[in-house]
Amino acid sequence: EDKYEFYFEVTDNDRISGPKSARTNTLTLRLPSLEEVLKQTDQAQNKVEKDLEKVMKQAEDIKRESEELNRELLREKSNKQEMKWEQSKKAQDLAKKQQDLQNKVSEIQKNLQEVTEKLKENNLLSEETLQKYMELQKLLKEVNSPEIQKMQEKMRQAMEKLTPDQMQEAMKNFKMDEEKFKQSIERTMKMLKRIQNEQKIDALNKKTEELINKLDEVNKKMQN
């Protein structure tokens, strides 16, 4: 909660008519309190958690749609029929939805990194908790795995050729990678909740430390 007032002033080196000065207006800087920092980071963490829950729900919807499309392709294959345009469109929509999910995970990763940096700057994390935040960010990076990118490319190629066999194989891989994606999000959510609890303990320790320092200042004043 410290507040600073300051200005900048410059003087030239005019030796003929004498040096002249110019200065800015007085500027004010206020540092946030410990309570304010904790409130901001708590809000940001809650947003990350809610965003992960949305991603999880959307991943479950994509999984259900992919299973339904896979059953349709199996029926077409057993009847020796060509893949329909509607089925190709459904596969394209699934691939797009998966890409949108990965973009959302990238945004969540960015927000979590900002939270971690803010906590770190204000010395509100122990080394152990900071390390776990780093592991969490690493886990989020793994969600956007190269395997999922390859899977999406295979689906695009299969859509262009419109062959049921290739599409079915692509959907099989899609189902496997979608399950891996879902499991990664589940692990991320569980790990985030554990870290939030540990970070709150770190914050309590910081509050206690701040309180002790204030008591020391009061004692010194009383002694004087």
Side-chain angles (χ1 to χ4, degrees), residues 61-72:
D61 291 340
I62 291 173
K63 182 173 179 289
R64 188 182 64 255
E65 289 175 26
S66 66
E67 288 172 348
E68 183 182 335
L69 179 56
N70 199 39
R71 285 193 294 270
E72 288 181 17

Side-chain angles (χ1 to χ4, degrees), residues 40-142:
Q40 289 172 2
T41 53
D42 196 45
Q43 288 172 345
Q45 285 174 333
N46 289 337
K47 184 180 184 304
V48 167
E49 191 174 347
K50 286 179 181 177
D51 288 344
L52 281 171
E53 287 173 356
K54 288 179 183 177
V55 167
M56 186 69 179
K57 186 179 181 302
Q58 289 171 334
E60 288 172 353
D61 291 340
I62 291 173
K63 182 173 179 289
R64 188 182 64 255
E65 289 175 26
S66 66
E67 288 172 348
E68 183 182 335
L69 179 56
N70 199 39
R71 285 193 294 270
E72 288 181 17
L73 290 169
L74 280 171
R75 284 196 298 269
E76 298 296 327
K77 185 178 179 181
S78 62
N79 295 329
K80 297 182 180 180
Q81 295 179 347
E82 289 296 320
M83 186 173 66
K84 297 176 182 177
W85 179 86
E86 291 85 357
Q87 292 166 342
S88 176
K89 182 68 169 61
K90 284 181 182 178
Q92 290 177 16
D93 291 342
L94 282 174
K96 186 179 183 302
K97 287 178 181 178
Q98 180 62 47
Q99 183 60 55
D100 290 342
L101 271 190
Q102 287 182 263
N103 293 338
K104 286 180 182 177
V105 170
S106 296
E107 186 65 27
I108 291 171
Q109 182 186 339
K110 181 183 174 185
N111 293 338
L112 186 62
Q113 187 173 353
E114 289 175 0
V115 171
T116 307
E117 287 299 322
K118 184 177 281 290
L119 289 168
K120 185 179 175 184
E121 283 172 9
N122 289 278
N123 197 25
L124 293 174
L125 291 178
S126 65
E127 280 298 322
E128 293 80 5
T129 310
L130 178 60
Q131 185 62 36
K132 287 177 182 177
Y133 265 110
M134 296 302 177
E135 290 173 11
L136 182 58
Q137 289 183 36
K138 184 180 177 183
L139 184 58
L140 278 172
K141 284 181 181 178
E142 290 174 0

Side-chain angles (χ1 to χ4, degrees), residues 9-11 19 25 67 81-82 104 109-111 115 117 131 136 148 155 160 165 171 173 175 184 207 209-210 214:
E9 185 173 12
V10 292
T11 305
N25 294 327
E67 288 172 348
Q81 295 179 347
E82 289 296 320
K104 286 180 182 177
Q109 182 186 339
K110 181 183 174 185
N111 293 338
V115 171
E117 287 299 322
Q131 185 62 36
L136 182 58
I148 292 178
M155 282 193 69
E160 290 172 3
D165 288 341
M171 287 304 301
N173 293 330
K175 183 179 177 181
S184 295
K207 283 182 179 179
E209 183 184 329
E210 191 179 66
K214 286 181 179 179

